[in-house]
Amino acid sequence: MESPSRPARRSVLVVNADEELFAKIAPLLNREALEVDRFPRARAALDLVSQVPVDVLIVGYPLPDVRTQELLDVVRRPESPCRQSPLLLLAHREELEEAKRFIGRGANEAIAVEESAERLQAAVSRLLAVAPRSSLRMMVRIVVNIGEGAALEMSQTENLSETGMLVRTGEVYPLGSRLSFEFHLGGQSQPIRGEGEVVRQTTAGRESVRGIGIRFISLERDGLLRLQRFLRELSTER
């Protein structure tokens, strides 16, 4: 197993930001160390934030299709992989005080979209500095159930959370594919075993990692407790 390493890339989710607004923050986000997903509407982002870890969320206020509190509740619920991820609300000046009411109710900060590009980028940079890091590279054995057969593969994780992991693989597995997995955590003699579901394929040309996002369906015995303890200790070390 490879030792834990600092993450090579951070993930940023941008929701409900038009081209003019995105152009203000794009110079900060267009870096090799960042992976950026954009959703023009919040409804499409709900599944992602409930299943895949994201380091920082940037959300335009108000949302066009769901209540802001609905999105925040999904992000902050106990089982969410993004529940500790910083979230920034971007609002027009006349709606800024209204947006600030969500600080402490799921949002970490709110800023006016009319601010200069430098100030907007500084706000995003502050959140990136405090975002929790869950990236971890180690070997994982997976058995993917496809049709009548099964595909066995040894892969490497790119990041890991209590609810799922991103696994490097050159294979393409359909969304919804069920699999079983096994991996070892440093300092633990017993492996973590469980079952999962493919919930994401990385985007070719936009992300440096080619692989799949796996949501944990179940972990055997005390696997969840051991994983939680390991991630807490890893976070403290960093």
Side-chain angles (χ1 to χ4, degrees):
M1 183 187 77
E2 297 187 17
S3 59
S5 60
R6 294 178 66 88
R9 293 169 71 84
R10 316 296 299 281
S11 57
V12 178
L13 177 64
V14 181
V15 181
N16 186 35
D18 60 27
E19 291 303 323
E20 181 179 357
L21 175 56
F22 187 76
K24 283 188 171 184
I25 59 177
L28 175 67
L29 301 181
N30 291 337
R31 299 179 178 180
E32 286 298 318
L34 297 177
E35 294 175 356
V36 181
D37 282 310
R38 293 180 64 188
F39 288 85
R41 302 176 72 84
R43 183 66 62 185
L46 289 178
D47 285 343
L48 179 67
V49 298
S50 65
Q51 298 176 346
V52 179
V54 176
D55 287 301
V56 170
L57 297 94
I58 303 171
V59 180
Y61 178 89
L63 294 168
D65 55 337
V66 302
R67 292 182 300 107
T68 299
Q69 193 61 59
E70 180 181 350
L71 173 66
L72 298 179
D73 288 345
V74 171
V75 171
R76 300 307 182 202
R77 63 188 181 185
E79 67 273 21
S80 168
C82 302
R83 69 187 182 282
Q84 295 182 348
S85 303
L87 187 147
L88 173 67
L89 290 176
L90 302 178
H92 290 283
R93 288 194 191 280
E94 63 269 21
E95 297 172 310
L96 183 58
E97 289 305 313
E98 188 177 297
K100 285 183 177 179
R101 295 176 186 172
F102 291 96
I103 296 176
R105 294 164 52 194
N108 297 79
E109 190 172 345
I111 189 171
V113 299
E114 291 86 359
E115 293 285 359
S116 66
E118 291 75 16
R119 293 201 61 179
L120 287 171
Q121 291 176 37
V124 176
S125 183
R126 285 195 299 271
L127 297 190
L128 280 167
V130 301
R133 300 185 179 213
S134 57
S135 293
L136 180 66
R137 295 193 178 99
M138 61 186 182
M139 297 307 297
V140 57
R141 177 181 179 271
I142 60 176
V143 179
V144 184
N145 301 315
I146 304 176
E148 298 297 323
L152 173 64
E153 183 176 355
M154 286 294 293
S155 301
Q156 183 187 62
T157 62
E158 181 68 16
N159 63 50
L160 177 70
S161 75
E162 297 174 13
T163 57
M165 58 186 169
L166 178 63
V167 175
R168 289 176 176 264
T169 176
E171 299 295 329
V172 176
Y173 298 115
L175 298 183
S177 297
R178 293 295 186 97
L179 53 84
S180 58
F181 57 82
E182 174 183 307
F183 56 82
H184 284 81
L185 298 174
Q188 298 185 13
S189 58
Q190 295 298 316
I192 300 289
R193 295 189 180 96
E195 295 186 349
E197 177 185 13
V198 177
V199 295
R200 180 187 176 219
Q201 298 277 357
T202 57
T203 305
R206 291 182 53 195
E207 301 177 70
S208 63
V209 177
R210 184 179 180 185
I212 54 175
I214 297 172
R215 177 178 66 87
F216 296 155
I217 295 174
S218 64
L219 296 176
E220 291 184 3
R221 299 184 180 181
D222 62 343
L224 178 58
L225 292 176
R226 290 192 288 122
L227 177 58
Q228 291 173 331
R229 183 169 61 248
F230 178 84
L231 291 174
R232 283 197 301 269
E233 293 172 354
L234 185 63
S235 176
T236 301
E237 292 173 1
R238 291 174 176 170

